[in-house]
Amino acid sequence: MTETTDEAGAPPRPRRRPPPGTVRLVLVAVGLLAVCVLAATVPVPMVTLGPGPTFNTLDTQDGRPVVDVTGLPTYPTSGHLNMTTVSVTDGLTTFQVLRAWLDPQLQVVPRSAIFPPGQSQQQVDAKNDADFADSESSAVSAALTYLDVPAQVVVGPDIQGLPVNPVLRPGDRIVSVQGRQIGRISDIRAALDGAAPGSRIPVETTRGDGPVQSVTVTLIDLGNGQGGLGIAPVARPAADEKITISLSGVGGPSAGLMFSLAVVDRLTPGELTGGAFVAGTGAIQATGQVMGIAGISHKLYAAKEAGATVFLVPAANCVEARGSAPEGITLVEVETLADAVADLDTIRTGGTAPTC
């Protein structure tokens, strides 16, 4: 039997193995390090919602008025009518999500709640841009309707749940209904007063730059025996007038109320805010109805941080707003554009407006 030796001729020393506990500790440490690296670098399917920037609709952006009016008499404005936004942060790591959970101003939600599965970022952005454009159109319509300014009345986008009349298309201008000239949305209601569902009536329209054409419209049932055209009418400025809303980097429908108020302020003498710092939110229909929105708590914090002392709240959001409003900001409940204007008049003259 042959035995190997080291260089000095002595038998080799047996290798000492580390104790089993040490090996386990090393493996645990390596595993923890790997978990920490993943938690710090790999995005998770969560996003945070928080207070976003606010924009004064009476001010300018990039050197241009947020609300610009040409062809109509305008009046000086002052103060703030700030629209509010919600910021969305994507691409979060586990560590960032954990930090967000500890921040009372942030809300962590599944990414799918903001970015629907199967839709690309481009599709989501396009939807937000379309909603924002619709809010601008509805805001102008609501303001013109409230002010009773003569306007062009056109067929608005189809509304889910409202029967659609196949004869009339979105964008068609309604020139007359049963011989009555249409210069306001209310003119349509007056022209159809007492008309029964199923009645066939003459309507004059224009499509694009085409000529006036006469069509026959079968009235739909609006309930209570009243017939309707089956459209959502929208008021637009007359051909020689223009109201432009310019605000980049913002999407969604919730700025409509504040845009409408800015238009009203520009088109009426006196200053709607009385110099006060007013902020608010709310989607608006072309007829002036103010609808609820999402993210009211974040918008309240954003308004407070910007310096607002009054916040216009859609009636549908009042309960949530009461539970999350920061101190020092008055919540004013609004259901329509007319409500909002009346409430600001009350505040400006030292009165107390209806609160949430």
Side-chain angles (χ1 to χ4, degrees), residues 91-299:
L92 300 174
T93 65
T94 300
F95 284 162
Q96 290 172 320
V97 169
L98 293 174
R99 284 198 297 269
W101 267 321
L102 300 176
D103 190 331
Q105 292 193 21
L106 296 181
Q107 178 185 5
V108 179
V109 300
R111 190 178 189 278
S112 58
I114 307 298
F115 303 100
Q119 291 190 15
S120 66
Q121 181 68 56
Q122 290 75 17
Q123 289 174 314
V124 173
D125 290 343
K127 174 64 164 58
N128 286 333
D129 290 344
D131 287 344
F132 192 74
D134 286 345
S135 77
E136 294 175 341
S137 175
S138 295
V140 171
S141 175
L144 295 177
T145 300
Y146 167 76
L147 295 171
D148 201 31
V149 174
Q152 300 182 81
V153 179
V154 302
V155 179
D158 294 340
I159 295 179
Q160 186 175 5
L162 180 69
V164 177
N165 198 308
V167 177
L168 304 173
R169 298 180 187 173
D172 287 356
R173 180 189 168 201
I174 307 298
V175 177
S176 72
V177 175
Q178 295 202 106
R180 180 182 182 123
Q181 295 298 303
I182 304 300
R184 298 169 175 82
I185 291 177
S186 59
D187 290 340
I188 295 179
R189 291 192 293 269
L192 295 178
D193 186 33
S199 301
R200 292 170 57 82
I201 64 165
V203 175
E204 288 186 322
T205 68
T206 62
R207 181 168 297 167
D209 295 327
V212 174
Q213 59 180 349
S214 182
V215 297
T216 300
V217 176
T218 301
L219 300 184
I220 66 165
D221 189 356
L222 298 179
N224 298 321
Q226 177 62 54
L229 294 182
I231 64 170
V234 175
R236 291 180 179 171
D240 56 345
E241 302 163 353
K242 192 172 184 180
I243 300 176
T244 305
I245 298 175
S246 304
L247 192 60
S248 60
V250 180
S254 64
L257 171 62
M258 304 312 291
F259 285 148
S260 275
L261 288 171
V263 174
V264 171
D265 206 4
R266 292 292 306 277
L267 295 180
T268 52
E271 298 174 345
L272 196 57
T273 68
F277 197 134
V278 178
T281 188
I284 197 164
Q285 294 183 345
T287 51
Q289 190 74 24
V290 178
M291 313 301 291
I293 50 82
I296 187 73
S297 61
H298 307 304
K299 295 182 177 184

